[in-house]
Amino acid sequence: MKKLALIVTAAILAATGAQARQASAPPSVYAEQPTKFVQVGRLLADPASGRVLRDKTLVIRGNQIVEIRDGFVGEGNVVDLRSAFVLPGLIDSHVHLTSESSPTSRLDGVTQSDATQAMVGARYARRTLNAGFTTVADLGASNQAIFALRDAIRAGDVPGPRIIASGSAVSVHGGHGDVNGYRDDILHLLSPESICSGPEDCRRAVRLQVRAGADIIKITATGGVLSNTAAGLAQQFTQDELASIVEVAHRMGRQVTAHAHGVDGINAFLKAGGDSIEHGTYLDDESIRLFKQHDAWLVPTLMAGDYVARIASSPDNFFTPAQTAKALEAGPKMLDMAARAHRGGVRIAFGTDSGVSAHGDNAGEFALLVRAGLTPLEAIQSATVGAAAHLRISNEAGRLAPGMPADLIAVAGDPLTDVTELERVRFVMKGGQVFRAD
């Protein structure tokens, strides 16, 4: 992998704002951009096939791959990955870039401004990109902070992964996603406009999120581990409320994903026509049937389950009593849940809930997925072609082919043999620009 250091001149200047803006250049500009030649020893261009190609050159112009040639060709602007294993940039379908769990998390929530959270998010976005994740779905953050960060990355002003953002989650009053555990006047001050009660009010909440700039609607169909309230993990929206949310979101061209632990909330949301479930801790055989009937996706977030269980049982536990009880209840169950879903044929998209666990450690999810019964290839598919299909961006991410964005990563070993190789990413290119080259 020492040859990674041989990237020539302009290829390594990618982190500058001027070059980053090339990632959003229109097709008419591509011909004016210098051509890069990425020479690859082993290439998993399309994870859906599982086929590893050898001795190829990716020809990149602007932000796009224009050709994949046999052999090592090109001169001038050459990136030497002849000793590496190359695959598409990874996709994390569930992150929270503007925060990270710590003993000060509750204080941060009432002291940090939206502008501060956006700056915090910029730090974690760069860390996530350096870990090999070129696309993420951010599912639950201040509207102003996450939409500003998303747009700054899109404009090339800040380095980071492509962000699909929900902004604030649509939640019930007093439930997971609302503000809990503070004095009454603080609760009313901080509670977002996306909190609702009743079908009509929930339609309003969805429409406001779309107006604010949400790419996807995230709801909290059940209680959650880290909300500071002893409200359990069961269903919190009514069936009528769930149906109204899904209906209006779909009418406005947005898919809907649901945070859901309790089986009642999982099944109610799937019956309402929801598109995907985050977590899915207590799913049952009926859930598996409904997933398959509705072509819905499961995002297991096994790292979050592992993390909260470890913190809650640690002498250094910083969770509140309500959080601790739910973490010890739900966390240890998630690995078995993913195994049952996989055996049942449920479609799985990679997601970590990073921000609960540490940003930049996202690839730790791969080993947990393999422990749940996925093969290394299936785990990689969940973070490439699977996550792209789930997020409806298959023409933008998940594979390497002519006409696709040049989002790719490299590791030294073979992740199809040892999936933990993906925890040691050595090279990251996003939109034709090099952001990491060890």
Side-chain angles (χ1 to χ4, degrees), residues 30 63 79 119 129 146 171 230 236 249 261 281 320 328 344 429 438:
Y30 296 154
N63 73 335
V79 178
M119 295 299 100
L129 180 61
I146 194 59
S171 308
Q236 294 188 337
H261 289 288
T281 308
T320 67
L328 292 174
M429 174 181 282
D438 295 351

Side-chain angles (χ1 to χ4, degrees), residues 140-156:
S142 156
N143 283 353
Q144 291 85 352
I146 194 59
F147 296 154
L149 179 61
R150 174 197 63 190
D151 295 347
I153 291 172
R154 184 180 295 164

Side-chain angles (χ1 to χ4, degrees), residues 215-260:
D215 303 306
I216 184 172
I217 300 299
K218 188 256 183 96
I219 76 165
T220 57
T222 73
V225 169
L226 294 185
S227 49
N228 187 27
T229 175
L233 296 170
Q235 182 175 346
Q236 294 188 337
F237 280 105
T238 68
Q239 192 68 50
D240 287 345
E241 288 170 334
L242 292 171
S244 68
I245 289 168
V246 172
E247 177 194 14
V248 72
H250 286 175
R251 284 181 181 275
M252 301 188 80
R254 301 299 190 275
Q255 67 190 98
V256 189
T257 193
H259 156 106

Side-chain angles (χ1 to χ4, degrees), residues 1-4 40-43 54 80-87 409-427 436 438:
M1 293 297 289
K2 292 182 180 178
K3 292 183 179 179
L4 291 176
V40 179
R42 292 161 292 165
L43 176 65
R54 292 189 176 272
D80 185 347
L81 298 178
R82 288 178 290 178
S83 64
F85 189 108
V86 172
L87 63 159
I409 65 171
V411 294
D414 183 353
L416 297 175
T417 301
D418 177 7
V419 79
T420 67
E421 282 291 329
L422 296 172
E423 299 175 26
R424 298 178 289 276
V425 169
R426 305 291 297 276
F427 178 91
R436 178 173 185 173
D438 295 351

Side-chain angles (χ1 to χ4, degrees), residues 106-119:
R106 295 188 66 231
L107 180 62
D108 293 342
V110 294
T111 58
Q112 290 183 345
S113 67
D114 289 331
T116 298
Q117 290 178 7
M119 295 299 100

Side-chain angles (χ1 to χ4, degrees), residues 10 73 109 127 342 379 387 407 420:
V73 301
R127 193 173 297 174
H342 178 248
D407 296 350
T420 67

Side-chain angles (χ1 to χ4, degrees), residues 233 260-263 266 280-284 287 329-330 333 337 340:
L233 296 170
H261 289 288
V263 66
I266 294 169
T281 308
Y282 291 94
L283 59 75
D284 62 7
S287 310
E329 175 188 345
K333 293 179 169 62
M337 169 275 300
R340 287 186 286 118

